[in-house]
Amino acid sequence: MHGEYKVPGGKLVVVDVDVVDGVLSGTSVSGDFFLEPDEALDVVRSALDGQPADAPTSRLAAAVDDALATAHADGRLSQPPVMVGFDARAVAVAVRRALGLSTAWADHTFEVLHPGPLPPAVHTALDQVLTEELAAGRRGPTLRFWEWVEPAVIIGSFQSLRNEVDLEAVERYGITVVRRVSGGGAMFMEAGNCITFSLVVPASLVDGMSFEESYAFLNQWVLGALADVGVRAELSGLNDISSPAGKIAGSAQKRVVGGAVLHHVTMSYDIDATKMLEVLRIGREKLSDKGTRSANKRVDPVRSQTHLAREAVIAAFRAHFEAHYATREGELRPDELARAQELARTKFADPAWTARVP
């Protein structure tokens, strides 16, 4: 079995391996990385042989690190081992890919969905439905763009409703409040003022990654798409995307039993900051934690940096994704939409769910 892993910003690691009686056997490690001393490569190979074929990334990486440390301590290595352009975890990921337990972007075809305006509760329900459909093997990975029929505040799964939302203000403006299944912070949305998309991927795509690493991994293409429309952006904090002018977007994740990951991103296009500050209770502590003096400056609109129509920005994002990954035009199945509408009625539009954390 053959697996390859290109370290982001680093080198290629290639593993060829057999499985005999449930354990790794005859493991070969190669690549364009740098490793000193030369004999360390044999230590890496031998550390993997005998490991369980279903060993997680963490166990395989630890086996390599421990073997190298031991080999240096007992004199089998003439100097402390130095790995340049890769590390033990990269070797472990390549092993998992060889075994079919870890996958790469190129191993999947993504269905791109843009179903048009829907109620906020249906959008949050679709996140749950599409993630569960992938976990159940009834659908492949998807990239879905959201459109709106009414203004909304979407709060994170664990946020306090009364602490995050001014209920009098949302009633005054006719804004719907919906709680989503993923964590993270509140999002203020009106038709035309934000760009939101959900990525549903198999857990194998982020195999062995911490939550922090998976955020960076799944947001990386977004930085490229922003560059295409003239915005120089970078990852900031755990789940934010920022430019020199300020925060652009936030992302959130949810992992479900069965092996599926929901990752969604919301970025402001032309946000009404005054209204946002009336409906969202953004405390001084949160602002100061982000090094910001004024809440009006927390979110920097994409429109001011691109000078493009929102539709053009979405088209550029879609074109970037389709240029880098295998995709096909998709649409929601009638049963998926029907289930989402039922979930919207029984869960996401239910005040008991919205006030789950009062």
Side-chain angles (χ1 to χ4, degrees):
M1 291 171 280
H2 179 86
E4 300 182 0
Y5 177 62
K6 171 66 169 62
V7 178
K11 296 299 184 178
L12 179 69
V13 181
V14 180
V15 167
D16 293 280
V17 63
D18 290 325
V19 174
V20 178
D21 296 329
V23 300
L24 306 184
S25 176
T27 308
S28 171
V29 179
S30 60
D32 60 357
F33 49 78
F34 301 93
L35 177 63
E36 296 290 345
D38 284 352
E39 56 267 27
L41 186 59
D42 288 331
V43 175
V44 172
R45 293 168 178 161
S46 61
L48 295 169
D49 282 344
Q51 293 293 323
D54 59 354
T57 304
S58 57
R59 174 167 175 171
L60 295 173
V64 170
D65 279 334
D66 291 347
L68 288 170
T70 300
H72 175 246
D74 65 18
R76 283 181 291 139
L77 295 182
S78 57
Q79 66 183 63
V82 178
M83 307 171 82
V84 180
F86 79 124
D87 56 16
R89 182 184 164 278
V91 175
V93 171
V95 171
R96 299 269 298 177
R97 287 192 174 177
L99 300 172
L101 300 174
S102 179
T103 57
W105 290 99
D107 297 321
H108 304 285
T109 297
F110 292 79
E111 200 164 329
V112 180
L113 310 174
H114 198 167
L118 292 168
V122 174
H123 275 303
T124 53
L126 278 170
D127 270 352
Q128 178 176 329
V129 169
L130 294 176
T131 307
E132 291 176 349
E133 287 295 290
L134 188 149
R138 293 187 290 265
R139 166 183 278 286
T142 56
L143 172 64
R144 178 174 66 92
F145 291 93
W146 299 27
E147 299 290 350
W148 304 96
V149 297
E150 59 190 89
V153 169
I154 311 295
I155 61 175
S157 180
F158 309 108
Q159 288 189 297
S160 163
L161 177 61
R162 63 172 174 259
N163 288 344
E164 296 295 329
V165 181
D166 186 320
L167 297 178
E168 291 183 0
V170 297
E171 184 175 355
R172 182 168 66 251
Y173 285 116
I175 295 171
T176 301
V177 181
V178 178
R179 185 182 297 277
R180 62 182 185 267
V181 295
S182 58
M187 308 181 300
F188 171 61
M189 301 172 167
E190 291 181 300
N193 84 350
C194 63
I195 297 171
T196 301
F197 46 87
S198 297
L199 192 61
V200 177
V201 302
S204 61
L205 187 61
V206 295
D207 177 64
M209 297 183 192
S210 67
F211 273 94
E212 184 173 13
E213 290 169 334
S214 69
Y215 273 107
F217 178 75
L218 295 175
N219 277 335
Q220 200 63 46
W221 76 271
V222 183
L223 302 184
L226 282 166
D228 289 350
V229 293
V231 178
R232 181 165 57 89
E234 61 183 13
L235 305 175
S236 59
L238 171 66
N239 59 333
D240 288 345
I241 297 173
S242 299
S243 74
K247 176 179 172 179
I248 293 176
S251 54
Q253 284 187 12
K254 174 69 175 180
R255 302 189 182 199
V256 304
V257 175
V261 178
L262 164 68
H263 178 92
H264 60 77
V265 176
T266 293
M267 57 183 60
S268 63
Y269 172 73
D270 188 19
I271 199 164
D272 184 338
T274 301
K275 187 184 292 186
M276 179 189 75
L277 291 175
E278 288 188 49
V279 300
L280 297 183
R281 300 185 187 277
I282 303 175
R284 291 183 180 177
E285 184 68 23
K286 189 168 185 178
L287 289 175
S288 98
D289 180 57
K290 294 183 180 293
T292 312
R293 292 179 178 269
S294 167
N296 278 333
K297 297 178 181 178
R298 269 195 72 224
V299 182
D300 186 70
V302 171
R303 179 182 179 184
S304 67
Q305 297 190 60
T306 65
H307 305 292
L308 294 173
R310 176 178 175 275
E311 294 75 15
V313 176
I314 292 175
F317 272 55
R318 179 169 179 165
H320 182 92
F321 191 87
E322 292 175 341
H324 288 77
Y325 312 120
T327 63
R328 62 170 176 265
E329 182 81 21
E331 59 183 22
L332 295 171
R333 300 195 307 260
D335 62 303
E336 292 170 334
L337 183 56
R339 183 168 172 239
Q341 290 169 333
E342 178 65 10
L343 269 176
R345 183 183 67 81
T346 61
K347 178 178 179 178
F348 292 98
D350 185 347
W353 168 258
T354 306
R356 182 172 71 93
V357 183

